[in-house]
Amino acid sequence: MKIPEDRLSPWPERITTGVRTAWPICMAYFPVGMAFGVLAQKAGLSVFQTGAMSLVVFAGSSQFIGVSMLSSGASLMAIAATTFIVNLRHLLMSSSLAPYFRRTSMPFLFLFAYGVTDESFAVNSMRFRDGDWDRWKALIVNHAANVAWVTSSVAGAVSGQFIPQGFMGIDYAMVAMFLGLLVFQLRGRIYLATSLMAGALAVLLSLTMPGNSYVILASLVAATGGFVLSRLVQRKGAHDA
Amino acid sequence: MHDASYFGIVLAMGLVTYLPRWMPLFVLSQRTMPGWLVEWLDLIPVAILSALVFPEVLTSGAPKELDVLQTRSLAAIPTLIFALKTRSLGGTVLVGMVLFWALEKL
């Protein structure tokens, strides 16, 4: 069954909107992707091998970890287990996106799932929330970001050098993007409270926990805290009324 | 390194990364979720973004140490205000970069 939005939004509009929405992600990916390419080249990987990892895995931090584990001679099992743990947070992101993909075909979900990253997830969930967004635009965002990621890792592997260190604050692009996306998510007091809980908890946990598993733990606890809080507020409102 | 074993590792990494991305979409999009779950999932984006970005601007080093007054946190304040006023993501990225760059130069 075709849903009406598929007819309302013509392809050229979908593509231009998707790409325009993705450009901040692509810009933020470029320095990180190049840094990955340089690291991979130094670890003895060919340009083709580097590009293949970015294409198949498409997950920044786990690729950096994977390459450094490879060069220290870690086993397949060790690398796979570490990658799994580092990327487990995507479970939460895909769960949170799922309500927007009701009655979506299996092939579409296969294609879309491939591109769920911290960045595309944040952008797409914001746009879905705001309305005027459909799953095809979301798919284009995911894959535009992927093109930028693969291209920049290959560029790093070929050139063998970083963009000059600190060039025009490019190291801050990703942080600034997350800050912007965070602001757009603060739609009320419950969201603000959840944000502060998650942030404070993540900072505390990041000081003591190795790796990035603090992201999942802090998010789970804070979302649950925010949920309980909103229920309490609702109940109080009902009593007061 | 040897090609066959390298691509074996890359495929394994790809598979364990892909599964957590695909599984919830596959399972949860096929059924009606209870209201409380939808409400809880609605808070996940803001929670994840905060869990990612707060440590990024308030800690430094490896292992991480608390570092509240640093260029990253100082640049974050005007960047947040800019995002709040303009609601432009692209603009926020550019302004953040320029602010960070300027503060680094000081």
Side-chain angles (χ1 to χ4, degrees):
Chain A
M1 192 188 82
K2 279 255 177 204
I3 59 170
E5 74 189 21
D6 285 11
R7 271 173 275 134
L8 281 172
S9 187
W11 273 107
E13 197 254 288
R14 266 183 202 152
I15 294 172
T16 49
T17 312
V19 172
R20 214 172 33 219
T21 308
W23 82 261
I25 303 181
C26 299
M27 194 171 68
Y29 273 3
F30 233 85
V32 186
M34 279 196 82
F36 171 73
V38 173
L39 180 79
Q41 189 220 32
K42 290 207 171 112
L45 299 183
S46 69
V47 172
F48 179 69
Q49 287 176 327
T50 307
M53 188 189 281
S54 283
L55 190 66
V56 173
V57 184
F58 189 24
S61 43
S62 66
Q63 289 182 223
F64 279 96
I65 297 167
V67 166
S68 70
M69 286 181 83
L70 270 171
S71 42
S72 66
S75 70
L76 184 150
M77 278 311 289
I79 296 175
T82 309
T83 306
F84 180 68
I85 293 165
V86 169
N87 290 330
L88 210 51
R89 66 187 186 287
H90 296 129
L91 261 179
L92 279 178
M93 302 183 198
S94 286
S95 306
S96 169
L97 285 170
Y100 301 108
F101 290 86
R102 300 284 302 283
R103 295 191 304 273
T104 300
S105 72
M106 281 299 119
F108 187 97
L109 288 182
F110 268 112
L111 274 180
F112 180 82
Y114 163 74
V116 175
T117 60
D118 298 344
E119 298 77 21
S120 70
F121 157 73
V123 167
N124 281 325
S125 52
M126 170 184 79
R127 299 300 300 258
F128 273 125
R129 252 320 274 239
D130 291 352
D132 86 311
W133 203 236
D134 62 51
R135 52 181 198 264
W136 291 101
K137 289 177 188 162
L139 184 71
I140 289 163
V141 166
N142 285 11
H143 286 267
N146 180 249
V147 169
W149 179 247
V150 176
T151 312
S152 56
S153 0
V154 169
V158 172
S159 71
Q161 54 196 345
F162 296 100
I163 295 173
Q165 198 73 51
F167 175 72
M168 281 304 286
I170 203 132
D171 307 327
Y172 202 67
M174 202 77 93
V175 177
M177 183 171 63
F178 282 138
L179 288 170
L181 288 165
L182 176 61
V183 165
F184 305 153
Q185 291 285 343
L186 301 175
R187 296 180 301 262
R189 271 182 287 180
I190 293 298
Y191 296 92
L192 184 62
T194 307
S195 164
L196 294 176
M197 274 190 280
L201 202 56
V203 167
L204 283 178
L205 291 173
S206 74
L207 301 176
T208 48
M209 287 170 81
N212 73 346
S213 32
Y214 64 87
V215 175
I216 306 177
L217 192 57
S219 306
L220 283 174
V221 173
T224 308
F227 175 76
V228 170
L229 200 62
S230 86
R231 282 291 154 108
L232 288 176
V233 170
Q234 279 168 23
R235 190 165 305 167
K236 189 174 177 296
H239 279 299
D240 291 347
Chain B
M1 90 173 282
H2 193 269
D3 243 22
S5 62
Y6 174 75
F7 287 112
I9 289 172
V10 166
L11 283 178
M13 288 176 72
L15 189 70
V16 297
T17 304
Y18 187 80
L19 283 177
R21 284 173 167 163
W22 170 76
M23 191 78 89
L25 281 168
F26 169 67
V27 174
L28 296 176
S29 66
Q30 305 307 311
R31 62 201 69 201
T32 312
M33 280 183 249
W36 63 264
L37 183 57
V38 175
E39 232 179 284
W40 182 79
L41 287 174
D42 181 51
L43 292 171
I44 290 293
V46 73
I48 291 187
L49 276 168
S50 308
L52 286 168
V53 82
F54 277 67
E56 201 67 50
V57 297
L58 295 177
T59 70
S60 64
K64 287 177 182 298
E65 277 175 37
L66 201 59
D67 187 3
V68 179
L69 283 181
Q70 53 165 319
T71 321
R72 304 168 83 81
S73 63
L74 294 178
I77 297 161
T79 305
L80 282 169
I81 295 171
F82 182 87
L84 204 59
K85 295 278 177 211
T86 65
R87 313 202 69 83
S88 147
L89 186 58
T92 303
V93 172
L94 290 177
V95 164
M97 282 165 61
V98 170
L99 283 167
F100 178 75
W101 178 70
L103 284 169
E104 287 273 271
K105 294 272 161 206
L106 286 179

